[in-house]
Amino acid sequence: MAFSTITDLDVAAAQKKSNELLARLLSTSSETYVTGPVGQGTGERVLVLGGTGYIGRALVPELAARGYQPVLLTRNAEVKNDAEFASAEVAVGDPTRPGDIARLIEAAPVDVVISLLSGRRPNDAEECRLVDHEAVVNGIKASVAGKVRQFIHISDFGAYRPELIPQVYKLQVEGELIGQHHGPLPWTIIRPTAYYPYLSMTFGDVKNGLKYRIFDHGEYNVVNPIAREDLAEFIVNQVLNADALGRVLPVGGPWSEENVVTLKKAGEMMFEINGRTPDWEVVSMAAWDKKIARLTRLGKISKQLKPVAYYLEAAKYWSVVDHVAPAYGTRTLREFMGKLVDREWPTGSFRERMKNGTNVMPTDV
Ligand SMILES: NC(=O)c1ccc[n+]([C@@H]2O[C@H](COP(=O)([O-])OP(=O)(O)OC[C@H]3O[C@@H](n4cnc5c(N)ncnc54)[C@H](OP(=O)(O)O)[C@@H]3O)[C@@H](O)[C@H]2O)c1
């Protein structure tokens, strides 16, 4: 990633730009999409790759409720006994092995394939290649061979500025679908903005009395995140929908005060919900840039430090790149945070838990 070094002028200009964008979004109604379920299935089989994760747990019940038969391929045999997936046919297999998806589709034809696949370690370039690219391409090839009627690729809004490894692979998959590199296959690409847990990672820190970190003013970017239930409804609206074929659909949550935020505003929400006065840990972006440069240099000679450099870059990316897309849904970030307030959070900071591998993301709501 090559961010240039930031000056005082850039710092002030970035805040001005974010506040102008916020004001524009809050005074405009987003009419690209009409919220509400569209389309009903009659038992069509929909294979969801990566369907056991955060979005999958909302998508599978939504598919079933809308008359489709969800089918899952997972590496985890326990999913067969999981009540959350009771409506799905569950096959055990690994999408990174080319034959596993193909055999599943050969055994019983599927109408639609939806990919939510994503590696668990975004700083591991090889895992990203294997999951975010190879496994999805395995799904595309099997879909072409099985004459699947539609392939829906859940990409990432960040693919417009692909500076993190998974986004680069998501963009490659987009190109291969659009260019029909693996054979004829009707496709739909969905680019969601951020999900609520990623804007609420440090909720427990704020609840436990710790500070909230911002870069300078904390207003380098604007995000309209989307609730998984709303995204699930949006995805199912595209299933076998002729209007969605050959389309790239960017989508985020409502353009309202409760849902469109800078990172500082997300922090203010956390303090307010927890009944605290805002208490910021202000880090200068100029100092952060120097830290990234130093660790990137050290990462070239130390295997241990390479992932650290990545996390610093990722923290910067999520703090400076706008993720604003047309609105869908009714749920808001504030409502999501409201659901977190009564729970117990482990002591220590989220960042310390990230370092020792015991991080807790609020992905159960
Ligand atoms: N996080 C965000 O804010 C954001 C924003 C926009 C788009 N997205 C994209 O939205 C999609 C859905 O996200 P999500 O949060 O629901 O994903 P998730 O919870 O991380 O789940 C992804 C699934 O991928 C499978 N998987 C993970 N590592 C694998 C490996 N090494 N080999 C084979 N399969 C593997 C897992 O299935 P099994 O364990 O069952 O095999 C898992 O259920 C992803 O493509 C993500 O990149 C995310």
Side-chain angles (χ1 to χ4, degrees):
M1 201 184 320
F3 286 114
S4 53
T5 307
I6 200 146
T7 66
D8 287 351
L9 218 60
D10 297 332
V11 172
Q15 185 174 31
K16 184 164 178 280
K17 180 238 25 145
S18 292
N19 280 302
E20 284 170 0
L21 177 54
L22 259 178
R24 204 157 42 231
L25 293 171
L26 295 177
S27 61
T28 313
S29 66
S30 173
E31 291 171 358
T32 310
Y33 306 120
V34 178
T35 294
V38 178
Q40 185 71 26
T42 50
E44 291 86 350
R45 301 180 79 242
V46 179
L47 169 60
V48 188
L49 301 171
T52 59
Y54 182 66
I55 300 301
R57 279 184 277 126
L59 180 60
V60 167
E62 179 71 18
L63 281 166
R66 302 268 293 273
Y68 298 100
Q69 174 55 58
V71 181
L72 288 173
L73 177 71
T74 171
R75 297 164 301 162
N76 178 4
E78 297 291 307
V79 171
K80 286 190 169 186
N81 307 318
D82 189 332
E84 257 188 310
F85 299 111
S87 61
E89 287 173 29
V90 178
V92 177
D94 185 340
T96 65
R97 287 196 301 252
D100 286 18
I101 308 176
R103 268 191 296 278
L104 183 63
I105 296 180
E106 275 161 27
V110 303
D111 295 278
V112 176
V113 174
I114 302 175
S115 173
L116 292 165
L117 285 166
S118 185
R120 288 265 152 80
R121 285 178 302 215
N123 63 338
D124 182 330
E126 178 51 18
E127 181 173 324
C128 291
R129 188 191 63 76
L130 207 60
V131 185
D132 292 78
H133 186 261
E134 292 304 296
V136 187
V137 169
N138 290 338
I140 293 173
K141 287 179 177 165
S143 299
V144 171
K147 300 204 168 13
V148 161
R149 295 161 65 191
Q150 183 186 21
F151 189 96
I152 303 182
H153 170 50
I154 309 305
S155 180
D156 179 346
F157 186 77
Y160 86 98
R161 191 170 150 176
E163 292 173 24
L164 302 179
I165 310 166
Q167 295 162 345
V168 175
Y169 286 121
K170 289 232 154 37
L171 195 59
Q172 260 174 256
V173 169
E174 288 192 6
E176 290 170 37
L177 273 176
I178 294 169
Q180 302 279 274
H181 286 207
H182 306 287
L185 180 64
W187 57 269
T188 300
I189 292 167
I190 297 177
R191 287 180 164 191
T193 58
Y195 305 152
Y196 292 156
Y198 295 85
L199 282 154
S200 314
M201 285 184 210
T202 53
F203 191 91
D205 296 15
V206 171
K207 181 158 187 205
N208 288 341
L210 301 178
K211 288 174 185 285
Y212 178 98
R213 185 180 70 198
I214 49 176
F215 291 113
D216 300 313
H217 40 61
E219 301 204 296
Y220 279 99
N221 67 343
V222 179
V223 187
N224 68 318
I226 183 163
R228 63 172 164 172
E229 298 85 350
D230 287 329
L231 180 59
E233 186 177 273
F234 181 84
I235 295 171
V236 179
N237 287 357
Q238 316 313 324
V239 169
L240 297 174
N241 176 347
D243 289 342
L245 297 181
R247 297 268 157 84
V248 181
L249 305 172
V251 65
W255 289 4
S256 69
E257 296 262 11
E258 290 73 34
N259 198 64
V260 184
V261 289
T262 58
L263 292 196
K264 184 174 187 191
K265 288 196 168 34
E268 282 167 353
M269 257 183 210
M270 286 185 205
F271 282 111
E272 196 191 312
I273 289 171
N274 282 297
R276 288 187 59 201
T277 308
D279 186 7
W280 313 112
E281 176 196 340
V282 179
V283 175
S284 102
M285 191 61 93
W288 197 258
D289 278 337
K290 284 188 190 138
K291 214 166 159 179
I292 293 176
R294 196 173 68 243
L295 274 151
T296 304
R297 276 197 308 277
L298 290 171
K300 289 192 178 126
I301 46 175
S302 156
K303 245 184 162 172
Q304 274 89 357
L305 289 177
K306 203 170 173 190
V308 182
Y310 172 87
Y311 278 120
L312 298 183
E313 286 181 341
K316 175 168 178 178
Y317 179 88
W318 290 113
S319 306
V320 300
V321 178
D322 291 322
H323 278 65
V324 173
Y328 186 88
T330 53
R331 293 167 180 85
T332 65
L333 179 62
R334 181 179 284 274
E335 280 168 21
F336 179 83
M337 286 188 189
K339 293 183 201 160
L340 305 178
V341 77
D342 288 331
R343 61 174 55 193
E344 288 290 314
W345 294 86
T347 51
S349 73
F350 180 81
R351 286 203 296 280
E352 282 161 18
R353 292 195 299 279
M354 281 254 291
K355 278 186 204 153
N356 66 27
T358 60
N359 58 315
V360 185
M361 288 265 257
T363 54
D364 55 324
V365 281

